[in-house]
Amino acid sequence: MTLSRIVVVGASAAGLTAAETLRREGFTGRLTLIGEEQHPPYDRPPLSKQILKGEWQPERIALRPAEALDGLDAEWLLGRKAVSLDVAGRTIELADGVQVPFDGLVVATGVRPRRLPFARELDGVHALRDLEDALKLRDSLRSVPSVVVIGAGFLGAEAAAVARELGCPVSLVDPLSAPMVRQLGGDVASRVASLHRAHGVDVRCDTGVTGFTEDRGRVAGVRLDDGSEIPAEVVLVAIGSVPAVEWLRDSGLPVGDGVLCDEFCEAAPGIVAAGDVASWVHPDHGRIRVEHRMNATEQGMAAARTLLGRRLPFAPVPYFWTDQYDVKIQAYGRPCADADFTVVSGGPDGGPFAGVYGQNGRITAGVTWNMPREARALRAQVIERAPWPRPAAAAANG
């Protein structure tokens, strides 16, 4: 297939990387990037950390300087929302009615915050997905209000840590057993809970939220399913996200929990997906969708190469990190709750440590707590599916 015009829908990390890869790999045709936000591409992980804390100003999170974006020789349609796709007609319709034609398409529209089913618009209730969200929440924390964070995954745990470091009274609420238990399993998640409690956070796990109380249109508290209520001047709802595929529902493109792609990130001839929105067939893990920053970059490159006919199965070792207080947690592979877990370096109850997860006698994932050098070594063991480590006593006895 000869491609003369490629359109990238989604102007964040995955979309930008795809565009850069297309140019680097020799595509000289017309290139268009469509982005719903007004901003040029920026990095999202700092939103819940450095931006929220006020350590960085917005210009610092730009992914590329202006001259690098100009060097792409691309048409930028920022502040423009894609609302529908005609696969057969090879056109994208924007919210203002403009039709954008394409020969090749990269879908990189990311995710949107999940909403509470009972929630309605109240002052003081926030989501955190884009730069405007982060700046609005940052402004609300300046008065050191009482804060309730609903959802103790990556985003919620990081935001709770920042709010606490700013001096706010913070409660962290989640229906699961511990913060980040889905991502890290029970052993490490219990340590995350202890970390937050040591910094003064009121951690309420195994607890659901049933509603808000309000005072003249502003949130005043959060009602829990145990009948109690937590006073709150600011609430952050961080209960996960959903892939931004609503504009594709009637397109004929296969969608479910994301854009459904094959192992090459292709959803249909001449159409690929990358980043948080892409659900693809990983050679080792089956169908997965990964919402982590490194995956956005790697998949943006892989999808672009597929579009250009350089098809290789996309088989990364998943990687994620989180910064909370003075702790950096890094993980390779896909930790899961039913995997075995053991500490292989350091101590499990205090200070830095490294641990591995495994199934069927093989290492499937690794995690480190303030041990960045060990993280790289664990990555190699995950790639090799290294044998499960022997207990120290057994190893000493040969």
Side-chain angles (χ1 to χ4, degrees):
M1 179 187 298
T2 300
L3 301 177
S4 61
R5 175 163 185 168
I6 295 178
V7 175
V8 180
V9 183
S12 194
L16 174 62
T17 304
E20 291 175 329
T21 303
L22 289 167
R23 288 303 194 210
R24 190 167 55 248
E25 300 278 332
F27 176 68
T28 58
R30 187 170 180 180
L31 180 61
T32 301
L33 286 92
I34 301 170
E36 188 172 344
E37 295 185 59
Q38 294 283 354
H39 308 284
Y42 62 86
D43 211 12
R44 293 187 187 275
L47 296 181
S48 59
K49 298 181 277 288
Q50 294 92 342
I51 292 292
L52 188 58
K53 198 172 181 179
E55 294 177 337
W56 291 4
Q57 293 306 308
E59 55 271 17
R60 187 166 175 180
I61 64 173
L63 283 171
R64 302 289 184 271
E67 56 268 24
L69 299 181
D70 292 341
L72 279 175
D73 187 24
E75 176 186 19
W76 292 86
L77 301 179
L78 298 179
R80 312 283 290 276
K81 183 178 181 179
V83 295
S84 68
L85 168 68
D86 181 348
V87 173
R90 310 309 257 189
T91 58
I92 298 154
E93 182 178 355
L94 305 184
D96 57 10
V98 170
Q99 303 284 327
V100 182
F102 67 87
D103 300 313
L105 172 63
V106 181
V107 179
T109 44
V111 293
R112 301 192 188 285
R114 192 182 299 275
R115 305 293 182 180
L116 288 167
F118 56 79
R120 65 183 187 84
E121 292 294 326
L122 287 176
D123 289 341
V125 177
H126 298 259
L128 180 50
R129 172 59 186 169
D130 59 29
L131 178 58
E132 278 71 27
D133 291 338
L135 295 176
K136 185 177 179 182
L137 180 57
R138 183 175 77 179
D139 286 345
S140 74
L141 296 179
R142 288 177 175 168
S143 61
V144 196
S146 56
V147 177
V148 174
V149 179
I150 302 172
F154 279 94
L155 188 65
E158 289 177 354
V162 168
R164 190 70 197 99
E165 288 179 311
L166 293 174
C168 302
V170 178
S171 296
L172 182 60
V173 180
D174 197 283
L176 300 180
S177 59
M180 299 182 63
V181 68
R182 279 190 178 134
Q183 295 88 358
L184 296 170
D187 295 270
V188 181
S190 64
R191 180 163 175 153
V192 176
S194 297
L195 173 69
H196 280 273
R197 290 188 173 111
H199 283 83
V201 174
D202 176 19
V203 179
R204 307 270 192 109
C205 288
D206 291 314
T207 305
V209 173
T210 60
F212 299 142
T213 59
E214 61 178 282
D215 180 14
R216 288 171 290 187
R218 183 171 185 86
V219 70
V222 176
R223 290 196 298 264
L224 307 181
D225 60 8
D226 61 6
S228 64
E229 179 182 325
I230 308 175
E233 297 166 276
V234 169
V235 173
L236 172 63
V237 179
I239 57 173
S241 55
V242 294
V245 295
E246 62 281 350
W247 67 288
L248 300 171
R249 293 293 181 192
D250 298 322
S251 68
L253 205 66
V255 296
D257 181 34
V259 177
L260 304 182
C261 303
D262 62 14
E263 65 270 34
F264 307 106
C265 307
E266 186 174 69
I271 301 177
V272 296
D276 295 358
V277 77
S279 170
W280 86 102
V281 180
H282 191 292
D284 296 325
H285 303 294
R287 180 164 295 283
I288 61 173
R289 187 173 64 82
V290 176
E291 294 183 26
H292 297 310
R293 175 64 178 83
M294 187 61 68
N295 184 74
T297 296
E298 293 178 343
Q299 198 164 26
M301 291 189 285
R305 289 170 180 149
T306 290
L307 204 55
L308 296 178
R310 294 153 202 175
R311 298 164 63 87
L312 289 173
F314 182 54
V317 177
Y319 168 72
F320 64 81
W321 80 94
T322 178
D323 297 311
Q324 298 173 37
Y325 307 106
D326 57 351
V327 171
K328 177 179 283 293
I329 302 169
Q330 297 171 273
Y332 285 99
R334 288 177 64 81
C336 58
D338 59 350
D340 297 321
F341 178 79
T342 189
V343 172
V344 295
S345 181
D349 299 319
F353 75 93
V356 293
Y357 305 80
Q359 292 178 313
N360 302 318
R362 296 284 173 176
I363 292 174
T364 57
V367 63
T368 61
W369 182 290
N370 279 347
M371 285 185 122
R373 292 184 179 177
E374 284 74 5
R376 295 182 181 180
L378 289 184
R379 181 181 186 274
Q381 295 182 50
V382 172
I383 293 173
E384 297 164 4
R385 298 279 178 171
W388 189 248
R390 300 169 65 189
N397 293 331

